[in-house]
Amino acid sequence: MTQRSGCEEPAVLPPPSPPPARFLGVSIAGVGSYLPTSTITNADLGQRVDTSDEWIVTRTGIRERRIAAPDQATSDLAVHAAREALAQARLSPADLDLVILATATPDTPVPPGSAWLHRHLGAVNAAAMDISAACSGFLFAMHTGAGLVRAEMHRNVLVVGAETLTRITDYTDRATCILFGDGAGAAVIGQKGYLELLYSHIGTDSSGRDLITVPAGGSREPASAATVEGKRHFLQLQGREVFRRAVETMTRAGQAALDSLGMKVSDLAWLVPHQANLRITQAVASQFDLPPERVVGDMSGTGNTSAASLPIALNRLQGSGRLKPGDRIMLVAFGAGLTWACQVYENTGVPR
Ligand code: ACO
């Protein structure tokens, strides 16, 4: 069975789309995150595959990752992060009119994972939908939610990035099993809040769609005994090429944001890149000539949690007390698709 759709490949990477207009009147009113309690350490992985703590830490900066309990599905993680974000926003689940769940690992393909989250949360007045954009999923969902708030079609939108990536990780493949972990992060957005959205842009380069893939389980290669036997329901990754494209794409997306806003790198207090690999965040920081202390690169205890990585990192930054009024924060993501996204916020320090 062919994996290709038959489309001609573009010869070169397309340039980024023209910068969009500045978003006004949309803010984050609360953030939250949740990590399951059990861990998989590098030493644990060394028992399963031919690897070492030293190799993993040097190549990725990761020391351990969290793993969901057997009875926890993605929505069970998501609901904890959602409740924390709602508490900070001083809203109840009934105040929400839209729930967006960004995930590549929904509880079930049908119904959408967001329906499970909607149920656990009791968001009785909200519609719920999933967005699938892999590691860029949270920012794709924030972009969508922000657009709907700005258009005054929704008032209080909960956006959650949540993953149980360990359920699609092949623990006999040393090149991928070292990378991924489970977790959830959330943000409540509306017209009022303390992090004002200044810029939002999303993009896709489908010429790289085979670089990060779960080949089977969809309509292109339906589940069968052979696909299970061939481990084709696990995440496969061409690590070196993904690394190269991640650095190049996130740098370009960040620069496009600065150009659009008429800002310089020195106007940013914080750069929060997708938390995939410490070497990737360091490489992006060095492209921008940013000192390490202004770049959030803290995946040592979580690994790559895909759509959950940015809201977890943002919540950690917010909770650390290091975020000061007036700080501008750039979030930039990259993931399977290939997808990328960038948002810039300003901390107005004024809660709703
Ligand atoms: N332990 C020891 N050796 C290993 C391991 C391991 N865990 N994994 C691979 N190796 C070996 C390889 O077999 C290879 O050996 P060889 O030279 O004898 O053939 C050697 O190490 C080098 O392998 P590379 O894959 O070239 O190693 P690299 O330095 O590129 O690091 C890594 C691999 C960590 C995966 C890196 O490429 C990476 O982080 N890529 C980006 C992955 C990522 O962050 N993706 C984000 C998106 S994922 C998503 O969207 C869900």
Side-chain angles (χ1 to χ4, degrees):
M1 192 172 295
T2 176
Q3 292 296 298
R4 295 276 180 184
S5 60
C7 299
E8 282 198 10
E9 299 298 309
V12 290
L13 276 177
S17 310
R22 185 185 284 223
F23 275 8
L24 294 171
V26 182
S27 293
I28 295 177
V31 290
S33 63
Y34 174 78
L35 294 171
T37 50
S38 294
T39 57
I40 309 176
T41 64
N42 291 349
D44 295 332
L45 292 172
Q47 311 259 323
R48 299 193 196 191
V49 291
D50 181 13
T51 190
S52 66
D53 178 58
E54 194 268 332
W55 194 96
I56 300 171
V57 172
T58 309
R59 301 290 179 120
T60 70
I62 300 167
R63 294 180 187 276
E64 62 180 31
R65 330 85 198 110
R66 301 298 181 93
I67 180 167
D71 63 350
Q72 279 182 316
T74 295
S75 68
D76 298 307
L77 312 188
V79 72
H80 290 290
R83 285 187 187 127
E84 189 179 324
L86 282 167
Q88 193 181 89
R90 300 202 178 115
L91 291 175
S92 73
D95 294 322
L96 296 170
D97 53 9
L98 183 63
V99 172
I100 311 179
L101 176 64
T103 188
T105 49
D107 296 32
T108 46
V110 179
S114 52
W116 292 94
L117 172 59
H118 183 276
R119 183 72 191 165
H120 295 325
L121 200 55
V124 288
N125 298 312
M129 65 177 175
D130 286 16
I131 281 195
S132 173
C135 301
S136 306
F138 180 73
L139 291 191
F140 270 58
M142 291 290 276
H143 183 83
T144 305
L148 292 168
V149 169
R150 193 181 184 219
E152 299 186 0
M153 296 177 79
H154 288 272
R155 276 162 34 96
N156 296 318
V157 179
L158 171 69
V159 177
V160 183
E163 303 282 10
T164 44
L165 285 181
T166 60
R167 302 276 157 81
I168 57 165
T169 296
D170 178 0
Y171 285 97
T172 65
D173 176 11
R174 69 177 181 173
T176 56
C177 73
I178 59 168
L179 298 171
F180 302 113
D182 300 336
V188 174
I189 55 175
Q191 288 186 350
K192 293 193 177 128
Y194 65 95
L195 294 177
E196 187 190 347
L197 182 63
L198 303 180
Y199 173 92
S200 184
H201 184 59
I202 59 175
T204 298
D205 169 18
S206 57
S207 72
R209 68 194 178 283
D210 291 338
L211 293 176
I212 311 165
T213 176
V214 177
S219 59
R220 192 161 292 281
E221 194 173 332
S224 68
T227 60
V228 173
E229 179 73 20
K231 298 185 173 178
R232 296 182 65 74
H233 298 271
F234 291 128
L235 207 143
Q236 300 176 1
L237 173 74
Q238 294 179 39
R240 188 158 282 199
E241 181 61 7
V242 169
F243 191 108
R244 189 184 70 73
R245 296 240 205 156
V247 174
E248 180 188 294
T249 307
M250 285 198 282
T251 303
R252 204 174 35 164
Q255 190 57 55
L258 293 176
D259 293 346
S260 173
L261 290 165
M263 282 167 48
K264 301 186 290 300
V265 172
S266 55
D267 295 321
L268 289 178
W270 301 99
L271 174 66
V272 189
H274 170 45
Q275 306 286 292
N277 178 328
L278 188 60
R279 281 164 55 225
I280 293 178
T281 56
Q282 287 173 341
V284 174
S286 122
Q287 293 286 321
F288 281 115
D289 210 10
L290 269 168
E293 61 273 15
R294 281 169 52 204
V295 182
V296 177
D298 187 10
M299 65 293 293
S300 67
T302 58
N304 177 354
T305 57
S306 191
S309 100
L310 281 178
I312 290 172
L314 181 62
N315 192 34
R316 192 174 286 153
L317 175 64
Q318 203 266 345
S320 72
R322 290 178 294 161
L323 206 53
K324 303 287 179 255
D327 277 3
R328 289 180 178 147
I329 309 153
M330 176 182 283
L331 306 180
V332 61
F334 173 84
L338 300 169
T339 52
W340 72 83
C342 184
Q343 291 196 327
V344 180
Y345 290 89
E346 182 167 317
N347 182 20
T348 58
V350 183
R352 56 188 299 126

